[in-house]
Amino acid sequence: MYSLPSQAMRPLSLSPCLTRSSYLRFRILSSLSLPPIFHNSQTRLSFSKNYTRPHLFIRNCTSITAKPSSEFNRNRTQDAPDEKLRALRELFSRPGVNIDAYIIPSQDAHQSEFIAECYMRRAYISGFTGSAGTAVVTKDKAALWTDGRYFLQAEKQLSSSWILMRSGNHGVPTTFEWLNDVLAPGGRVGIDPFLFSSDAAEELKEAIAKKNHELVYLYDLNLVDVIWKESRPKPPNKPIRVHALKYAGLDVASKLSSLRSDLVDAGSSAIVISMLDEIAWLLNLRGSDVPHSPVMYAYLIVEMDRAKLFVDDSKVTPDVMDHLKNAGVELRPYNSILSEIKSLAAQGAQLWLDPSSVNAAIMNTYEIAIEKYLTSNNNKKSKTKMHTDTTGQSGGPAGVFRTSPIAFSKAVKNSAELEGMLNSHLRY
């Protein structure tokens, strides 16, 4: 913890000569007790008969006031203009962008809190390296929200170009409230839709709409990546490995079979999985893309008769390739996920999507593609009465939006997993 140069933060001090008006007087005990170290020692402490007991005084606690930690940096020298912020703001007026504010969250495209270095965009633009936080940049302001774990760290790392928003403290606005306050009505707020869950993007959209602001999805470029340029770290490419059956306890084919039963029960024809831990568990694979986490960057789509893993194939070893083929899993390029979503929607697939984890780019792509599919079919059958369900609504494909069933399946540990959990705590 950083030291705080404030008198108010120092311990209560003792003094032998302080006035009654400022302090409470306490007399020491009538007899002094020696600490145990002296009881059996030949060395004795002796006191004069004329010894006068001292008086101890302690400050009155009511006179102490604690300053907010932000005041300690109030008099710091003004930093030089932030070149990263200047470069970022220049992109706001680029054709195809045209925004008034840009939000940079901490997460990657899979909503992970702990991420690979190449995806640490919020840390790059702000200088704040804590694991949680959200940066918001307008044309003339920049603010960062973080929680109580990181207040002191953020104060130290943020330059004077940034406003620190202490999330959870009384009177601190949310990102939505702040944007509604600082932007003129009718502003355009840009985000990278890959970095927001569908739920989070919808919440943001509804909140800023109160001031007639528009949420703008910038699919084709991340503005921070544009200014990061060549100094941006390369994506991780360490090899994926197979998680042995003796540790997994259940083979991939059995897990996929169970998942497909869930799809049938939900009336879905396929599921899109984006959470990295769910993919690793379902396919009995482990990776090293994120420090201290055995996961690899990938998406997975499981249909009734096939499965497709979207991953950088340079990380796929021959052993992993054989493992996936045996389970009926095909490989696809990591960045082709949106084109596959469009393709499935064009076939009328009813995708299971978890809006709390699937990013807004995937969700929005599916919804637009399904709308096109339905419009096209309606035009072809304009003279034919469409089937209606019991609610009176037109029949046709629609997404199944609910929590991923894998979260529940992997929470129920089999005997091999339980044994592994116990063995992991043993020390030899």
Side-chain angles (χ1 to χ4, degrees):
M1 181 175 287
Y2 308 107
S3 59
L4 303 176
S6 167
Q7 181 68 28
M9 300 303 291
R10 294 175 185 170
L12 300 178
S13 58
L14 301 176
S15 171
C17 54
L18 298 171
T19 63
R20 292 170 82 81
S21 62
S22 299
Y23 303 98
L24 298 175
R25 173 173 294 185
F26 295 93
R27 289 187 178 275
I28 63 172
L29 299 175
S30 58
S31 60
L32 294 174
S33 298
L34 296 178
I37 190 173
F38 295 118
H39 287 172
N40 298 320
S41 171
Q42 294 182 355
T43 303
R44 304 289 182 185
L45 294 181
S46 60
F47 298 97
S48 167
K49 292 182 179 179
N50 297 324
Y51 175 74
T52 303
R53 297 186 185 96
H55 297 111
L56 298 180
F57 304 88
I58 187 167
R59 292 186 180 184
N60 187 341
C61 293
T62 60
S63 66
I64 297 176
T65 56
K67 296 181 179 180
S69 53
S70 58
E71 292 191 14
F72 302 128
N73 291 330
R74 181 170 288 179
N75 297 323
R76 66 182 177 181
T77 57
Q78 189 74 13
D79 296 314
D82 193 315
E83 289 302 313
K84 293 177 184 177
L85 288 177
R86 181 195 60 76
L88 182 68
R89 286 168 175 143
E90 286 182 354
L91 298 176
F92 285 11
S93 57
R94 174 186 284 195
V97 178
N98 188 27
I99 57 175
D100 301 292
Y102 191 60
I103 304 178
I104 307 106
S106 299
Q107 296 83 2
D108 55 26
H110 306 268
Q111 309 311 305
S112 312
E113 179 177 0
F114 299 99
I115 60 180
E117 190 177 3
C118 63
Y119 300 127
M120 295 180 179
R121 299 177 174 100
R122 189 262 304 144
Y124 171 78
I125 194 65
S126 68
F128 167 63
T129 60
S131 67
T134 299
V136 182
V137 180
T138 68
K139 292 179 178 179
D140 59 354
K141 294 180 176 63
L144 180 130
W145 281 255
T146 191
D147 60 62
R149 295 173 295 170
Y150 297 114
F151 289 170
L152 295 180
Q153 179 181 344
E155 287 167 8
K156 184 177 179 67
Q157 293 181 327
L158 292 177
S159 74
S160 59
S161 299
W162 288 85
I163 303 167
L164 174 57
M165 297 292 189
R166 296 169 178 80
S167 297
N169 279 11
H170 180 70
V172 175
T174 65
T175 53
F176 318 144
E177 293 168 339
W178 188 74
L179 282 169
N180 284 342
D181 182 54
V182 301
L183 294 181
R188 287 168 53 89
V189 179
I191 65 169
D192 181 339
F194 285 96
L195 306 184
F196 287 77
S197 71
S198 176
D199 277 350
E202 283 300 311
E203 182 183 7
L204 173 60
K205 181 179 179 180
E206 292 176 7
I208 64 175
K210 295 175 182 177
K211 287 296 184 73
N212 200 31
H213 300 314
E214 178 187 358
L215 185 62
V216 181
Y217 286 3
L218 301 175
Y219 282 93
D220 299 328
L221 76 167
N222 182 288
L223 301 189
V224 176
D225 292 351
V226 174
I227 65 172
W228 208 342
K229 298 179 180 177
E230 292 79 13
S231 62
R232 183 187 176 198
K234 300 296 181 183
N237 62 352
K238 293 182 179 179
I240 301 169
R241 62 187 185 276
V242 176
H243 188 55
L245 184 59
K246 66 178 181 179
Y247 300 120
L250 197 63
D251 60 65
V252 179
S254 298
K255 291 180 179 181
L256 289 176
S257 177
S258 177
L259 177 59
R260 286 172 175 133
S261 295
D262 292 331
L263 296 183
V264 172
D265 293 341
S268 174
S269 55
I271 184 171
V272 179
I273 306 163
S274 64
M275 295 295 286
L276 303 184
D277 60 314
E278 294 186 359
I279 296 172
W281 178 85
L282 185 62
L283 298 182
N284 288 347
L285 294 177
R286 297 294 184 266
S288 305
D289 287 354
V290 179
H292 316 300
S293 299
V295 296
M296 62 281 175
Y297 279 105
Y299 296 99
L300 180 65
I301 295 179
V302 178
E303 301 172 59
M304 297 309 299
D305 57 352
R306 63 199 302 195
K308 301 166 190 172
L309 180 65
F310 299 78
V311 68
D312 179 358
D313 60 8
S314 68
K315 296 185 284 190
V316 180
T317 65
D319 285 345
V320 170
M321 181 68 77
D322 291 340
H323 172 78
L324 292 173
K325 283 183 177 179
N326 291 335
V329 180
E330 307 167 15
L331 290 184
R332 293 287 188 276
Y334 177 78
N335 291 325
S336 67
I337 182 64
L338 292 188
S339 61
E340 185 66 24
I341 296 295
K342 292 177 184 177
S343 176
L344 289 171
Q347 301 168 37
Q350 301 192 89
L351 297 185
W352 186 328
L353 300 162
D354 183 345
S356 68
S357 61
V358 169
N359 63 55
I362 290 176
M363 183 71 78
N364 198 52
T365 296
Y366 177 66
E367 290 176 342
I368 292 174
I370 279 293
E371 187 64 30
K372 288 182 179 179
Y373 172 85
L374 293 175
T375 301
S376 175
N377 276 7
N378 287 343
N379 290 337
K380 292 177 182 178
K381 302 177 181 180
S382 58
K383 296 182 180 181
T384 304
K385 183 178 180 181
M386 291 192 65
H387 166 72
T388 58
D389 61 23
T390 55
T391 63
Q393 305 213 342
S394 296
V400 176
F401 306 131
R402 61 176 69 170
T403 302
S404 168
I406 303 172
F408 300 105
S409 297
K410 74 185 187 72
V412 181
K413 305 302 180 185
N414 58 53
S415 57
E417 291 172 324
L418 290 173
E419 182 180 0
M421 292 177 68
L422 292 173
N423 290 339
S424 69
H425 291 85
L426 298 179
R427 294 293 180 266
Y428 298 99

